Amino acid sequence: MPRISRRTAELGTENAFVVLAEVNELARQGKDIVSFCIGQPDFPTPANVQEAAIRAIREGKHGYTPSAGINELREAAARYMGTVRGIEIRPEDVVVGAGAKPFIAYAILSVTDYGVGDEVIYPNPGFPIYESQIQVCGAVPVPLPLREARDFAFDPEDLQARITPRTRLLILNSPHNPTGGILGKRDLEGIAAILRRHPQVWIYADEIYSRLVYEGAFVSIASLPGMLERTIISDGASKTWAMTGWRIGFASNPVLAPQFVRWVTNTDSCASQISQWAAVEAIQGPQDDAEAMRRSFLARRDLIVALLNGVPGVSCRTPGGAFYAWPNVTEACRMIGAADSEDFRKRLLNEAGVAVLADIHFGARVAGEGQHVRFSYAASREAIEAGIARMADFIRRNTVRAA
Ligand code: PMP
């Protein structure tokens, strides 16, 4: 047999997809599963956006586009990203991709070299693709621990301690997957103050959940003095307009945009033209549906956090954004004799029919921070109520009493 490369053999994954396969198998066997695994809105794409895509098909918008994206979308995305962040973004600095995800790799590839010790700092826990891509691109992954006591922001001193002359890139993600935490203005000012002393470090601001912030305004590090030039802002259509399957993301940076265009030419050629026209409508059309989705997520956040805090052995901070809750289940694990969060997750799935992800699906567990699981609350109220009731019942039934 011809061999496969070590690079590919060691490639990471999103374990959400692995757990999803487990869930589907149980569902196939006829088990009744309430699932909180999937990180995508449970709404259809707004009707006006669907219509724009159909129009694009009918009007013959079938071919390749420039790798950077159609001008109409670059202009709309530049205006949109600038308005949301209170900054000026030029259309020529914006590149459209097949989702926001590809820009994670493009950014790492554009600012680190293979095998020379270039370091990338990224949040832990975090979106698993960061670590996977850092590794596969031949850079050195440097995890930055998030702290429950800080509502899952990190301690600026932890950042300071991880920056070396070899640090090339800092990945920030706010609102954050999997914790729902946000970096507020004061956190960001502290980070910016540190980074001003380290001009060799680029910032990748993964702001895909920028429109799902529940208290106060969304703040981007790019809006702080001196940060715009060195920040790659990443956003997209997936979460804001329920368009995950359409594959549209946009990234902006004045220096790196032309490099990203070359990467797109080398990989996807361009994002789907049909989806690009749909995204123009998503940005420029009425925002009622996007707003309604946000309100609905907020109501469900309040519901799930209240319910989780009523479950024996579980405590849950109120996440400031996205659609994830990250309850601490350390005590619940102890009560039912589960070895750790992953054992807890498996038992919860197999014995109670509730599907969640465990902290280890988002990186190595942070020492001293206990055990956590992730709920995506992009699920119906009924599913949230039923799922948490099952979880509470499961813990009560299985609590091991001290003799
Ligand atoms: N970043 C984060 C933190 C995410 O959670 C996701 C989607 N799960 C993405 C990026 C990618 O989004 P997309 O490629 O659909 O735009």
Side-chain angles (χ1 to χ4, degrees), residues 37-282:
C37 286
I38 311 185
Q40 66 179 348
D42 57 333
F43 294 97
T45 302
N48 60 311
V49 178
Q50 297 184 30
E51 290 305 325
I54 293 165
R55 227 170 22 248
I57 294 173
R58 297 265 188 255
E59 288 173 3
K61 308 265 172 55
H62 304 165
Y64 293 125
T65 74
S67 288
I70 56 174
N71 284 337
E72 287 83 348
L73 181 52
R74 294 176 82 188
E75 282 162 16
R79 236 184 346 264
Y80 168 70
M81 289 203 286
T83 305
V84 168
R85 293 160 182 83
I87 53 182
E88 191 84 40
I89 295 180
R90 302 179 310 175
E92 59 266 40
D93 297 338
V94 174
V95 182
V96 176
K101 195 189 235 177
F103 290 106
I104 297 169
Y106 300 154
I108 298 165
L109 289 163
S110 299
V111 306
T112 66
D113 279 309
Y114 190 93
V116 298
D118 285 347
E119 296 169 2
V120 181
I121 302 175
Y122 64 101
N124 179 32
F127 187 45
I129 298 310
Y130 303 145
E131 185 180 86
S132 170
Q133 284 290 359
I134 294 164
Q135 212 124 35
V136 87
C137 294
V140 180
V142 180
L144 177 59
L146 305 187
R147 303 292 178 193
E148 182 156 7
R150 291 175 172 264
D151 285 326
F152 304 109
F154 51 83
D155 184 335
E157 288 188 7
D158 282 333
L159 171 62
Q160 178 65 61
R162 280 163 180 75
I163 298 179
T164 76
R166 290 179 175 281
T167 307
R168 294 283 166 261
L169 179 66
L170 167 66
I171 298 177
L172 300 176
N173 174 211
S174 175
H176 181 256
N177 178 7
T179 66
I182 52 176
L183 295 170
K185 186 142 196 230
R186 283 189 51 193
D187 296 308
L188 293 170
E189 280 169 348
I191 297 164
I194 293 169
L195 290 177
R196 284 189 196 103
R197 299 197 290 274
H198 302 279
Q200 86 281 11
V201 182
W202 291 95
I203 306 159
Y204 186 86
D206 186 336
E207 299 177 343
I208 189 80
Y209 299 100
S210 60
R211 290 279 290 278
L212 296 176
V213 170
Y214 304 118
E215 270 118 45
F218 169 71
V219 185
S220 170
I221 188 144
S223 66
L224 301 185
M227 294 295 119
L228 183 58
E229 284 275 312
R230 57 196 290 193
T231 302
I232 302 146
I233 303 171
S234 165
D235 203 332
S238 284
K239 316 288 173 172
T240 303
W241 296 284
M243 293 177 71
T244 49
W246 299 68
R247 309 311 301 133
I248 291 291
F250 9 89
S252 90
N253 180 269
V255 179
L256 293 172
Q259 314 308 328
F260 293 163
V261 174
R262 294 196 304 143
W263 278 112
V264 176
T265 304
N266 275 269
T267 54
D268 294 323
S269 295
C270 62
S272 148
Q273 178 167 187
I274 297 156
S275 297
Q276 291 190 53
W277 288 106
V280 172
E281 173 64 21

Side-chain angles (χ1 to χ4, degrees), residues 8 13 59 86 181 258 346 392 399 402:
T8 297
T13 187
E59 288 173 3
K346 285 192 175 144
T399 296

Side-chain angles (χ1 to χ4, degrees), residues 264-347:
V264 176
T265 304
N266 275 269
T267 54
D268 294 323
S269 295
C270 62
S272 148
Q273 178 167 187
I274 297 156
S275 297
Q276 291 190 53
W277 288 106
V280 172
E281 173 64 21
I283 293 174
Q284 293 184 339
Q287 297 300 302
D288 311 350
D289 286 343
E291 254 316 297
M293 286 190 262
R294 197 193 76 89
R295 279 196 305 274
S296 166
F297 286 135
L298 170 56
R300 290 185 266 173
R301 175 198 72 163
D302 291 342
L303 174 67
I304 198 166
V305 170
L307 291 174
L308 281 167
N309 280 314
V311 175
V314 175
S315 69
C316 186
R317 299 233 163 194
T318 301
F323 37 66
Y324 306 111
W326 186 247
N328 188 319
V329 295
T330 314
E331 178 61 14
C333 288
R334 195 194 58 73
M335 288 164 66
I336 67 164
D340 61 7
S341 56
E342 174 64 356
D343 188 22
F344 180 86
R345 174 195 78 76
K346 285 192 175 144
R347 288 184 56 190

